[in-house]
Amino acid sequence: MSLSEQMKFIVQELNKEPFSKSYNLISFDSLEPLQLLQVLNDVLAIIDPKQKVDIREEAADQTAVRLLQFLRVLKYKPPENVNMSEFRAGLVQGEKPVVFPILAWLLQRVPELQKRAYLAKFLVKIDVPAEIMGDEEVSSIYIQYEELMEQFKELHKQSEHLKNSGFNTGEIRKDITNMEEEKEQLLKRIERLRRKVESHPNSQKMMTVAKNLRVERDREKRLAAQKQEQVTTISHLDQRIKRLEAQLRESRQASVGATPESMIQKLEEETRTNSFLVKEQLPKDISQRRKMIQNLQKVVSVPAMGHSDLDELNAKIKEMNAEVNQLIEKRMRSGEPADDKHSLFKQQAGIIAHKKEAAAQALRAARDEYSQVAQEVEHKRQVVSSAEGGEVLKGEDFKRYVNKLRSKSTVYKKKRAELAELRAESGVLTRTDEILKQRNEHINRQLSVLERKRGVAGYRETQDELEKVSSKKSELDEMKGRTLDDMSEMVRRLHAEIADRRNTLAPILREIRPLREKVQELTPEYENKKQVYERQQAGFDSNMSKLEQEVRGYREECKAEESRYHYLNCMMKVLHVQQQRVAAEMKAYVSSDAQEKKKTFREIYSKKIQEQENMSRGLREKQKMVRENHEPNMKQMKMWRDLQRLMDCKKHCLEQISSLGSTAGAGGIMGGYGDSAPTHLEEDRLVL
């Protein structure tokens, strides 16, 4: 990328967010070196907010050290053709050929560099001198520091994986709020149920029994799950046994009528085929793939081609093809009969080799297809076994399965016919029920009319209600009796289960009792050692804080000395460059060669001064000539304006004459005008 393209890209990126500059190419190109360094520092501040500094308030050596150190953290590599000393000097002085590539590189990868700058705060190791590392405490602390750094790397990887896993925070928050609401509702329900249970006289005993029951049910569920897993495992093993038996049967059927000679011959053929694939076909494929990779690498390494380059390559290809055709024709014309016989055998050998290659490729394709089909079959078998609990049937099993399906189909048809008959009968009975209901309503209306006539209205409804109440009362009494019996039975069963559990837990409790006594004995020792550990940890923390303060002071001193060293180094290089320029100037000035003297700055600037004086002298003479000829030129300009006005007037008169429409009148006027024309021409000459 050239310098102008870099400048265009930089201006476009700086005018976007988050920089929001208002540069154009001219204004950006006219920036002073200090302003250009400030722009570079602003870009670095977007990457790392700690770099937000006003260049004018910072010393030049500190700025250079800070920028170079941060670019080293960001892993910026200067161009290979640039010397590092020149690069540092150009960065300090804010030279455009040095700053523009840095800005273009930074603006191309701002998000990546922001992440790198964030990680650099935690992953850039502290340089500890070997003398200090000799101390055991410092070395142990440094090892702990490295372990924490590795732990941070792992946690950061997990964080990035979670960020990229596609979880939506909004959905997670919504799920959390829903779960909290459900939790509140459950707590309210539990509180209501607790109040109801506490009002019961035997609530504590019943709660204990219910808790034990729930524990046993959970255990029963776990055992049922284990049982189901065992059943599933057994079914899978049975299926595997069936598959192995089927493979064994197939192998036995395939081995029927086979002889050792035929099997050896078959194995030899297979061995020859595999050896051909391994020794001849695979090396060719590998060499072709390597050639392809080399060609692709060449294509990648070559810069992008235009249409002109492609046209040149196509022309070269055509020339080479034409040359090859000419060579083939020449060879065919100069061929001998013996060569013709050999060519025939060569052609036959080539045809056979092509056939072998085609057969090998077909064999490989068939093997790949066979392996793919076998994988699909195995997958479908697993799907069928997981869905139906069995495997695909074959032979006699399949026939039995078909006969079973046929018998089930006949049973299904019979049942469907019976169901149709029952539906028809249900329709008839429904209609009969509707008719009887209508008759019942009619009879009830007649009875109500008779009751009103006899003065006992509502007698039948009251009697029906009394019968319903008595039946409900008897049902409730029976339900209460059954409930009490069930509760007493459940309590008795629970007591029996609790007694069984106590009997089973008794040996475990006897084993736990000495362990509890041992725990009570070891608890004071544990507390004492814990206190000793906490005291030692507090001492280590205080020593570590002191060491950190000392290291911080040494680090600041080191940074100051490094910045001073870099500043003095840069100043020495600048002075060295200036000294070289002065020496070259003196050498050229003292030299007796006229060409060398002409290359000196004195001669160059003297020549430029002379050229400027000559130019100013010519401009003064031109100015004097313009001043002297100003009045005559103004008069001449006025005369030209008068002439233009006169010609416009004549044009206007001619247009009026042509608009009269009378041919004779027009001719007379034109004749009169023609007589006076020479007079006007003479006036024009006088004016000129």
Side-chain angles (χ1 to χ4, degrees), residues 522-564:
L522 293 174
T523 300
E525 185 178 357
Y526 165 74
E527 293 294 334
N528 294 328
K529 292 192 175 181
K530 184 178 179 182
Q531 292 176 1
V532 172
Y533 169 75
E534 290 176 352
R535 285 196 296 272
Q536 290 181 356
Q537 186 178 8
F540 288 148
D541 291 338
S542 62
N543 293 330
M544 185 177 176
S545 62
K546 291 178 183 178
L547 290 172
E548 285 179 352
Q549 291 177 359
E550 292 178 1
V551 169
R552 197 178 297 113
Y554 291 145
R555 193 181 299 151
E556 290 176 357
E557 291 179 3
C558 182
K559 285 183 179 179
E561 293 297 330
E562 284 181 358
S563 63
R564 187 166 176 273

Side-chain angles (χ1 to χ4, degrees), residues 100 111 249-250 279 295 304 348 422 438 447 458 489 554 574 593-594 606 660:
F100 280 3
R249 285 197 300 270
E250 290 176 358
K279 293 179 180 179
N295 294 329
Q348 291 179 356
L422 291 173
Q438 290 176 1
L447 287 173
E489 180 64 24
Y554 291 145
V574 170
D593 191 2
S606 298
L660 291 176

Side-chain angles (χ1 to χ4, degrees), residues 21 27 55 66 207 219 248 256 282 308 329 358 381 463 469 493 609 658:
K21 305 288 185 182
S27 61
I55 299 294
R66 181 172 56 81
M207 286 290 289
R219 185 183 177 188
L248 181 61
V256 173
L282 288 177
S308 60
E329 291 176 359
R381 281 178 179 174
Q463 188 176 2
V469 169
R493 190 172 63 253
I609 290 167
S658 62

Side-chain angles (χ1 to χ4, degrees), residues 65 106 109 137 147 177 200 257 262 291 302 314-315 352 354 377 402 463 504 538 556 566 594 612 616 637 666 688:
V65 172
L106 292 174
R109 44 181 70 83
E137 294 183 359
E147 292 176 354
T177 53
H200 198 275
S262 62
K291 288 180 181 178
V302 172
N314 289 325
I352 292 170
H354 287 305
V377 169
V402 170
Q463 188 176 2
T504 55
E556 290 176 357
H566 289 299
Q612 295 296 325
S616 63
M637 188 174 170
L688 292 170

Side-chain angles (χ1 to χ4, degrees), residues 76 112 168 171:
Y76 172 73
E112 177 186 351
N168 190 358
E171 294 179 357

Side-chain angles (χ1 to χ4, degrees), residues 134-397:
D135 192 357
E136 294 182 357
E137 294 183 359
V138 175
S139 62
S140 63
I141 292 169
Y142 194 79
I143 292 169
Q144 187 179 1
Y145 164 72
E146 290 180 344
E147 292 176 354
L148 291 173
M149 189 179 290
E150 295 295 329
Q151 187 178 0
F152 172 77
K153 288 181 183 178
E154 296 296 328
L155 293 174
H156 181 73
K157 288 179 182 178
Q158 294 177 7
S159 174
E160 291 295 325
H161 178 68
L162 291 174
K163 286 180 182 177
N164 297 325
S165 60
F167 291 111
N168 190 358
T169 55
E171 294 179 357
I172 293 172
R173 288 176 182 172
K174 188 176 179 181
D175 293 338
I176 290 170
T177 53
N178 294 331
M179 291 170 70
E180 288 178 352
E181 292 177 357
E182 291 178 359
K183 182 181 177 182
E184 291 178 357
Q185 293 176 1
L186 289 172
L187 290 173
K188 291 179 181 177
R189 291 178 61 185
I190 290 168
E191 189 64 28
R192 287 198 297 270
L193 291 172
R194 186 177 294 167
R195 286 197 294 268
K196 288 182 180 179
V197 171
E198 287 177 354
S199 62
H200 198 275
N202 295 326
S203 61
Q204 193 64 32
K205 189 175 181 180
M206 295 296 289
M207 286 290 289
T208 306
V209 171
K211 183 177 179 181
N212 295 328
L213 178 62
R214 186 172 64 250
V215 171
E216 293 301 323
R217 283 181 178 175
D218 293 337
R219 185 183 177 188
E220 184 180 0
K221 288 181 180 178
R222 288 196 299 272
L223 292 173
Q226 291 178 2
K227 182 181 178 182
Q228 186 64 32
E229 289 178 359
Q230 296 294 329
V231 170
T232 306
T233 307
I234 290 168
S235 65
H236 288 318
L237 292 173
D238 291 337
Q239 292 170 10
R240 187 179 178 186
I241 290 167
K242 289 179 181 178
R243 285 198 300 271
L244 292 173
E245 289 177 352
Q247 291 178 3
L248 181 61
R249 285 197 300 270
E250 290 176 358
S251 300
R252 287 176 178 174
Q253 289 176 1
S255 63
V256 173
T259 59
E261 291 80 6
S262 62
M263 293 180 70
I264 290 170
Q265 186 178 2
K266 186 177 179 182
L267 289 172
E268 287 177 352
E269 291 178 356
E270 189 175 356
T271 304
R272 284 197 296 271
T273 305
N274 292 328
S275 63
F276 171 75
L277 291 174
V278 172
K279 293 179 180 179
E280 296 184 10
Q281 190 66 27
L282 288 177
K284 290 181 181 178
D285 294 342
I286 292 168
S287 62
Q288 289 177 358
R289 296 290 174 85
R290 286 177 178 172
K291 288 180 181 178
M292 187 183 296
I293 291 168
Q294 290 176 358
N295 294 329
L296 292 174
Q297 289 177 352
K298 289 180 181 178
V299 170
V300 171
S301 61
V302 172
M305 294 184 178
H307 291 288
S308 60
D309 299 330
L310 293 175
D311 294 336
E312 291 179 1
L313 289 175
N314 289 325
K316 288 182 180 179
I317 290 168
K318 289 180 181 178
E319 291 177 359
M320 296 300 293
N321 289 330
E323 189 175 355
V324 169
N325 292 328
Q326 289 177 2
L327 292 172
I328 292 170
E329 291 176 359
K330 186 176 179 181
R331 182 182 177 185
M332 290 174 67
R333 285 196 300 268
S334 64
E336 296 179 357
D339 295 336
D340 294 337
K341 293 178 181 179
H342 289 304
S343 64
L344 180 62
F345 290 116
K346 287 180 181 178
Q347 289 178 359
Q348 291 179 356
I351 291 168
I352 292 170
H354 287 305
K355 286 183 178 180
K356 285 179 71 177
E357 290 180 358
Q361 291 178 358
L363 178 61
R364 185 185 300 170
R367 285 183 177 179
D368 295 338
E369 187 177 359
Y370 174 75
S371 62
Q372 185 177 1
V373 170
Q375 290 177 0
E376 291 180 359
V377 169
E378 187 63 26
H379 177 67
K380 289 182 179 180
R381 281 178 179 174
Q382 292 177 0
V383 171
V384 170
S385 62
S386 62
E388 297 181 358
E391 76 173 314
V392 180
L393 301 176
K394 294 181 182 179
E396 296 296 331
D397 295 334

Side-chain angles (χ1 to χ4, degrees), residues 439-477:
R439 290 180 180 178
N440 187 21
E441 290 177 357
H442 182 66
I443 292 169
N444 288 331
R445 284 196 295 271
Q446 290 179 356
L447 287 173
S448 61
V449 170
L450 290 173
E451 286 175 355
R452 283 196 296 272
K453 286 182 180 179
R454 301 294 174 88
V456 286
Y459 172 75
R460 186 170 48 79
E461 287 83 358
T462 305
Q463 188 176 2
D464 293 337
E465 289 178 358
L466 290 173
E467 290 177 356
K468 289 178 181 179
V469 169
S470 62
S471 63
K472 286 181 179 179
K473 183 176 180 300
S474 61
E475 289 176 359
L476 288 172
D477 292 337

